[in-house]
Amino acid sequence: MNVTATAGAGEAREARMDFTGKTVLLTGGAGGLGIDTALGFAGAGAKVIVLDIRDDRGSDLLSRAAALGNGSVVYEHLDLSDQAELKRGLDRIVAEHGAVDILINNAAIYPAKPFEDFTLEEHRAVQAVNVDAHVQCAMSLLPGMRQRGWGRIINVASITFYGGWDKLFPYVSSKGALVGLTRAWAREFGQYGVTVNAVAPGAFPTDAEKIHPDPDGYTRFVLDHQALKRRGSPQDIASTMMFLASDHASFITGQTINVDGGWVMK
């Protein structure tokens, strides 16, 4: 599935950043924290290519983008758990749209249960989506960035990497891997003019919270731990992504920025 919608001004203009002429590839961009990021970049003039498997949410994203009016959003149905399919899809995307300037590795799955109830296969399935797929994205898209002498890679980690969090060991370990990849890639890719950073979101009211049986109690728990006594919004993440992708952050690389209202301070 390959669908395009026009996007533009709107809320993203508030960021006052111009990505006209830039192409962004955003994995897992059709839901959760991804939609506002996609619309933010499109609203600032970018072409945003969203990879996801949730076609209903992809259609909603395109509808919202069409109501704006400057950049564009392209939705691609690609299963990140299938590495061969992903590579073929990425090769096709580059052939159709040209080199990607900004890669945002956002997609993740997060099964939750006690450690002893997981199988090794389930652990590997999480790593395939949360880590291996993003390694493949970097492998496929780095050559274009290197040729242009400019690029941005942003990995979406998690504050769970710092705090542990029980019943999420495959997810937590995958987010730790992304922090490690951020540092390794930043060291190696800097010579090509490519910066690599990570954003570690805190607790945001998205579908991920549906694993909690007591939503109100969980909100109280979150606010008790945050320095800022409000829930975060997807726009908080979008603004951070846009900053890291902009020339304002051209001398920042290898860093992990927590966007968590002051829950974890590292």
Side-chain angles (χ1 to χ4, degrees):
M1 182 177 182
N2 183 343
V3 191
T4 304
T6 302
E11 308 168 342
R13 285 295 184 189
E14 298 175 3
R16 296 183 181 178
M17 294 183 188
D18 186 6
F19 291 97
T20 302
K22 300 295 186 186
T23 299
V24 180
L25 188 135
L26 170 61
T27 69
L33 301 177
I35 288 181
D36 280 67
T37 297
L39 294 175
F41 277 101
K47 175 190 289 183
V48 183
I49 302 167
V50 170
L51 308 187
D52 214 310
I53 58 173
R54 296 169 291 186
D55 295 345
D56 55 337
R57 295 187 177 186
S59 296
D60 179 59
L61 170 61
L62 294 173
S63 296
R64 292 179 62 181
L68 301 178
N70 183 23
S72 63
V73 174
V74 177
Y75 175 75
E76 293 273 358
H77 180 108
L78 269 181
D79 184 354
L80 271 65
S81 68
D82 185 334
Q83 301 302 311
E85 178 189 349
L86 175 60
K87 185 179 186 306
R88 287 192 297 269
L90 291 168
D91 290 345
R92 175 177 51 77
I93 286 168
V94 171
E96 291 179 4
H97 300 282
V100 169
D101 303 286
I102 301 162
L103 167 62
I104 302 176
N105 288 320
N106 170 68
I109 57 175
Y110 36 85
K113 55 186 174 181
F115 171 80
E116 58 268 25
D117 292 341
F118 277 102
T119 65
L120 188 57
E121 288 71 23
E122 289 172 324
H123 170 68
R124 288 171 175 161
V126 174
Q127 309 315 305
V129 174
N130 296 12
V131 182
D132 297 346
H134 296 142
V135 172
Q136 181 61 65
C137 287
M139 287 179 170
S140 295
L141 302 182
L142 178 65
M145 297 179 185
R146 181 176 181 177
Q147 184 177 21
R148 293 185 179 189
W150 193 97
R152 300 285 186 266
I153 298 176
I154 303 171
N155 295 320
V156 178
S158 169
I159 65 166
T160 61
F161 172 62
Y162 302 107
W165 270 255
D166 63 346
K167 300 181 180 179
L168 285 170
F169 102 85
Y171 175 81
V172 174
S173 64
S174 74
K175 293 305 183 178
L178 288 181
V179 172
L181 287 173
T182 296
R183 297 172 183 176
W185 290 348
R187 183 68 66 186
E188 188 167 351
F189 301 168
Q191 62 188 310
Y192 311 136
V194 176
T195 68
V196 187
N197 292 290
V199 172
F204 285 78
T206 65
D207 283 349
E209 288 196 358
K210 291 180 180 178
I211 64 175
H212 299 287
D214 179 8
D216 291 338
Y218 184 68
T219 291
R220 290 192 297 271
F221 169 79
V222 170
L223 296 180
D224 284 345
H225 284 80
Q226 289 181 181
L228 300 177
K229 304 306 179 184
R230 71 166 176 86
R231 296 304 306 272
S233 74
Q235 186 59 43
D236 293 317
I237 295 294
S239 297
T240 306
M241 298 283 195
M242 294 174 71
F243 167 71
L244 288 174
S246 75
D247 288 335
H248 297 296
S250 63
F251 205 57
I252 300 173
T253 195
Q255 306 305 310
T256 299
I257 298 179
N258 297 341
V259 185
D260 65 351
W263 186 329
V264 175
M265 299 187 184
K266 294 283 186 180

